[in-house]
Amino acid sequence: MSVFPDPDSFRTFVEKNFSALASFARSVLGNDLDAEDIAQDALVLLYRRRAGLRPEGSPRAYLYRITLRLCLARRRREARREAISTLFAPLLRQEVPPASEPVDSWFRSLTVRQAAIAHLYFAEDFDAGEIAERLRIAPSTVRVQLKRIRSRLRRLHGAGPASERCSDVP
Amino acid sequence: MFHEEELRRELKRRRPRSGREIWPGLQHRLEAAPQRPRLRWAAGIAACVAAAAFIFLSRGGNRPDRGPAVRIAQVRAFGVPAHAIVLEPDPHTVMVIVEGRTKEEENP
């Protein structure tokens, strides 16, 4: 039996999860321009793959992994575009969309995986085990990454506004 | 920049659109025919490969064959043994190159 036997059950799922998913995508991307698009793309993919979902599995965890992959692809594409615009700087000027808030700017300074972990930890209040299960990575990796994220946060806070300007450098 | 608590507060303050707001648009996308870009790419590449193979194979049949008996040692032009035989200016024309002097060199 399918996880979403009818469109109404999927609608309930969307209504319950969309906001959190869009916020997750925004953290991982580091801007809010494409976050809702990515969240919608992930939901469409989940719906199309619903026949292959295991009834005992968590569609929400799978949805987060799809979103993370889509964000990763988007950031790689952005990086490629940036490299090309640097190469042909005089001919082509296409800039990466600026982060709209300081929080977005801080998330942008993290790697994609770190941003995902940081969001699930700080916004969703998941512990390392739950994050590991959702992103399908080892709990020890999550703990190591969390330690790095927190020390980065402390360093930025301790260093004050002078180093804030450098926080965009990954 | 941020304390952990500040970060948590900022993240909680975000207000993306709700699932209820985006549902009509999303439903429209779900009902649309599924797109298979990868399959479309594969079909396009397969068509290109098939076309290239067809062109290559169809050209192969028209190639001129010099036959088993023709050897360079047997060819002479103006009584002089051939130095080389080339298909010039097109694949259906044979040009025989002989070593010798030009008329101008013979009659300065």
Side-chain angles (χ1 to χ4, degrees):
Chain A
M1 190 183 149
S2 172
V3 178
F4 303 112
D6 55 84
D8 278 345
S9 60
F10 190 65
R11 180 184 183 158
T12 312
F13 179 81
V14 170
E15 289 180 357
K16 204 172 157 190
N17 291 294
F18 181 77
S19 297
L21 191 68
S23 179
F24 175 73
R26 179 176 169 174
S27 293
V28 178
L29 285 175
N31 72 64
D32 61 342
L33 299 176
D34 306 323
E36 286 192 12
D37 286 345
I38 293 264
Q40 286 198 32
D41 288 349
L43 283 164
V44 170
L45 277 175
L46 178 76
Y47 189 72
R48 288 195 182 139
R49 293 175 187 173
R50 68 191 183 282
L53 295 175
R54 285 173 301 176
E56 71 276 10
S58 161
R60 194 163 180 247
Y62 184 52
L63 185 61
Y64 274 82
R65 284 198 294 276
I66 296 176
T67 310
L68 183 60
R69 277 204 296 275
L70 291 176
C71 290
L72 189 62
R74 180 69 62 101
R75 272 181 64 159
R76 278 186 185 146
R77 205 159 49 233
E78 268 178 21
R80 267 202 302 272
R81 220 176 273 167
E82 209 179 330
I84 290 169
S85 68
T86 310
L87 197 65
F88 300 104
L91 303 171
L92 185 76
R93 281 220 178 270
Q94 196 170 31
E95 288 175 7
V96 177
S100 50
E101 284 183 23
V103 183
D104 296 325
S105 168
W106 181 74
F107 271 106
R108 218 179 166 79
S109 72
L110 303 175
T111 65
V112 169
R113 191 195 268 185
Q114 279 177 342
I117 292 171
H119 179 89
L120 293 177
Y121 184 75
F122 292 114
E124 309 264 347
D125 293 326
F126 289 143
D127 62 26
E130 288 169 323
I131 295 171
E133 192 192 327
R134 266 164 182 75
L135 302 182
R136 212 173 265 178
I137 49 180
S140 57
T141 308
V142 176
R143 278 191 285 275
V144 169
Q145 292 296 337
L146 272 175
K147 207 172 163 183
R148 284 183 190 159
I149 291 163
R150 289 171 121 173
S151 74
R152 197 183 180 103
L153 201 56
R154 272 197 301 273
R155 230 180 16 248
L156 282 173
H157 183 71
S163 72
E164 201 174 303
R165 286 195 294 276
C166 306
S167 65
D168 285 343
V169 181
Chain B
M1 191 179 181
F2 302 109
H3 280 299
E4 282 192 22
E5 284 312 310
E6 277 176 275
L7 185 58
R8 281 181 206 278
R9 232 186 354 260
E10 288 288 324
L11 288 171
K12 294 252 169 12
R13 225 181 50 187
R14 279 182 183 171
R15 287 276 172 271
R17 285 191 296 164
S18 69
R20 200 181 292 269
E21 282 174 276
I22 60 107
W23 175 252
L26 187 67
Q27 190 181 23
H28 183 72
R29 284 184 67 186
L30 296 177
E31 284 165 1
Q35 293 173 341
R36 296 292 183 91
R38 281 186 191 169
L39 280 183
R40 281 211 303 265
W41 270 102
I45 290 168
C48 287
V49 169
F54 176 76
I55 291 166
F56 179 77
L57 292 174
S58 61
R59 280 185 60 194
N62 293 333
R63 281 184 186 168
D65 187 1
R66 68 177 185 178
V70 180
R71 291 172 193 279
I72 195 163
Q74 297 169 329
V75 178
R76 298 171 76 87
F78 306 112
V80 182
H83 179 67
I85 304 170
V86 290
L87 298 174
E88 285 287 342
D90 59 71
H92 302 282
T93 309
V94 173
M95 182 164 75
V96 178
I97 297 168
V98 293
E99 283 190 340
R101 286 180 296 181
T102 61
K103 226 170 208 177
E104 286 78 18
E105 285 172 328
E106 284 172 356
N107 304 306

